[in-house]
Amino acid sequence: MPSPLISVVLPAYDQHGQLAECLDSLLAQTLADVEVIVVADRSPETPGGLADAYAAQHPRVSALHLNAAVGVGVARNAGAARAAGEYLLFLDADHLLPRDALQTLADRLKQTGPVDVLLFGHSRRHNDRDWPGGAEALLAEPGPEVFGPFDQPALFGAPPLIWDRLIRRGHWEELKLAFPDGRYEEVPVVHATLLGAQKAAVLPRECVQLRRRETVHPAGGPGSSVFDLFDQYERSFALLEDQPHLYAVRDALFVRMIRHYLFIFDLAGCVSRAERPQFFHRAAEHHRRFQPPGHRKPGGREGIKFSLLAGGAYPAFEVAKLSHIARGTITGRK
């Protein structure tokens, strides 16, 4: 039996009861050359029975059961090891795909020939409203030609999401890639796939919809925490050691890292009040350690945040945030 073009690896972690809709959207795809591997661990939010029911009814779906609560990263690793497709696509239960999404990706691969990474767009839906993905502008820049990732260093500044790209399975295996432990495990893997690629391409079209407003990490393994984010970016920057010629890549990755830290710091429910000073100072330490020579901070209010973080000025940062909120409240009352 020939190998499928795309293997979809789908951890069954399903906190909001969305897995069935995700699977239905995959089974409704106009491209049939697909396998779907649903990985069910022992976490309470994982409906293993639902995975088995779909596998029993649909030949393209298989259920892989793990004997412990391991988190999304380990589940993805297990699914990738089982995959037989030419390309890997990692999704989560809160994703939906337009019916022609995978066919459109297959058509793009016919145009490009084999590539190590094919990046594409995504959107977010929350409370019946849609937002474009964070890489929309970056995907418009490279054009239709195949390129080397170092020729498009700005792409290293895109949000590090594993589910907005196809990865050639041979590329995954050649680099011996695996998701590390902890939360935000996709961060170093996303960067490693690009840094190790010879050929990449983009499809500036939204092929996946995320059904939540913000990117909150779905599930870490036992003992994981929001502070794992710092370890993941340390892994990403370790990939750039002894490569001083990659200045533009380092600069784009640095800006992405600081934006990610500030985003998580501001996102309700991610960093507790008691943890905020520690999180801020860890972020400030990374700003000092990883800032490339000659880096120019962004303009506007974002640049002010970068400066306050660079100086480790936690009280000033919090005061500036409260002042901004107060100004917004006053403006909203006019």
Side-chain angles (χ1 to χ4, degrees):
M1 184 175 178
S3 298
L5 178 65
I6 298 173
S7 292
V8 179
V9 177
L10 178 60
Y13 183 84
D14 191 24
Q15 187 175 13
H16 300 293
Q18 298 170 305
L19 180 60
E21 292 176 89
C22 178
L23 285 166
D24 289 342
S25 79
L26 287 167
L27 292 168
Q29 292 295 301
T30 56
L31 179 72
D33 196 11
V34 179
E35 69 169 353
V36 180
I37 303 169
V38 186
V39 187
D41 74 355
R42 291 291 186 90
S43 63
E45 297 86 359
T46 298
L50 179 64
D52 289 334
Y54 271 83
Q57 296 176 32
H58 304 282
R60 285 187 286 163
V61 179
S62 63
L64 173 60
H65 290 270
L66 306 181
N67 61 7
V70 296
V72 169
V74 175
R76 287 171 173 162
N77 291 336
R82 169 77 67 90
E86 186 176 350
Y87 289 88
L88 299 172
L89 174 60
F90 296 96
L91 296 179
D92 293 320
D94 53 6
H95 292 139
L96 289 178
L97 281 69
R99 289 191 72 249
D100 63 343
L102 297 185
Q103 182 62 60
T104 304
L105 291 170
D107 293 342
R108 180 71 176 119
L109 290 171
K110 288 179 182 178
Q111 296 171 349
T112 63
V115 293
D116 296 320
V117 183
L118 174 62
L119 299 99
F120 53 84
H122 72 273
S123 62
R124 303 176 189 273
R125 170 161 278 261
H126 180 68
N127 289 339
D128 297 323
R129 291 184 58 194
D130 293 328
W131 287 264
E136 185 179 38
L138 293 176
L139 292 177
E141 294 179 7
E145 301 302 321
V146 173
F147 56 86
F150 299 154
D151 297 328
Q152 299 289 339
L155 289 174
F156 289 87
L161 307 171
I162 198 63
W163 39 265
D164 64 358
R165 61 202 65 209
L166 288 181
I167 302 169
R168 187 173 60 82
R169 185 164 61 88
H171 180 55
W172 180 271
E173 294 171 348
E174 289 157 12
L175 294 181
K176 299 180 180 179
L177 292 172
F179 294 94
D181 291 334
R183 296 189 197 178
Y184 309 103
E185 73 295 320
E186 61 192 333
V187 170
V189 174
V190 163
H191 298 140
T193 57
L194 270 182
L195 283 167
Q198 298 296 315
K199 294 181 178 180
V202 300
L203 174 64
R205 178 199 148 159
E206 296 172 350
C207 293
V208 173
Q209 181 184 81
L210 174 69
R211 290 176 288 166
R212 48 189 153 97
R213 176 65 181 94
E214 308 289 7
T215 303
V216 180
H217 192 274
S224 63
S225 83
V226 69
F227 287 89
D228 296 338
L229 184 60
F230 299 107
D231 297 331
Q232 309 302 10
Y233 273 101
E234 289 201 6
R235 291 184 173 99
S236 290
F237 273 93
L239 300 169
L240 296 175
E241 288 182 2
D242 303 320
Q243 300 192 74
H245 60 291
L246 298 179
Y247 169 81
V249 169
R250 184 180 295 273
D251 195 69
L253 183 56
F254 172 77
V255 173
R256 169 44 50 194
M257 177 185 73
I258 299 303
R259 283 176 172 164
H260 202 164
Y261 291 167
L262 293 173
F263 171 78
I264 295 298
F265 189 70
D266 285 341
L267 188 59
C270 278
V271 185
S272 71
R273 182 182 295 273
E275 293 172 330
R276 286 178 71 80
Q278 181 187 358
F279 189 96
F280 183 90
H281 290 301
R282 287 283 301 276
E285 190 272 329
H286 273 196
H287 191 295
R288 291 190 296 272
R289 177 144 58 106
F290 295 124
Q291 181 179 1
H295 168 74
R296 299 179 63 182
K297 68 177 184 295
R301 183 169 178 268
E302 185 180 44
I304 295 173
K305 290 174 128 182
F306 271 55
S307 295
L308 292 170
L309 183 64
Y314 173 69
F317 188 95
E318 293 287 44
V319 168
K321 179 182 177 182
L322 290 172
S323 298
H324 176 77
I325 292 172
R327 285 195 302 271
T329 302
I330 293 169
T331 302
R333 289 176 179 173
K334 289 182 179 179

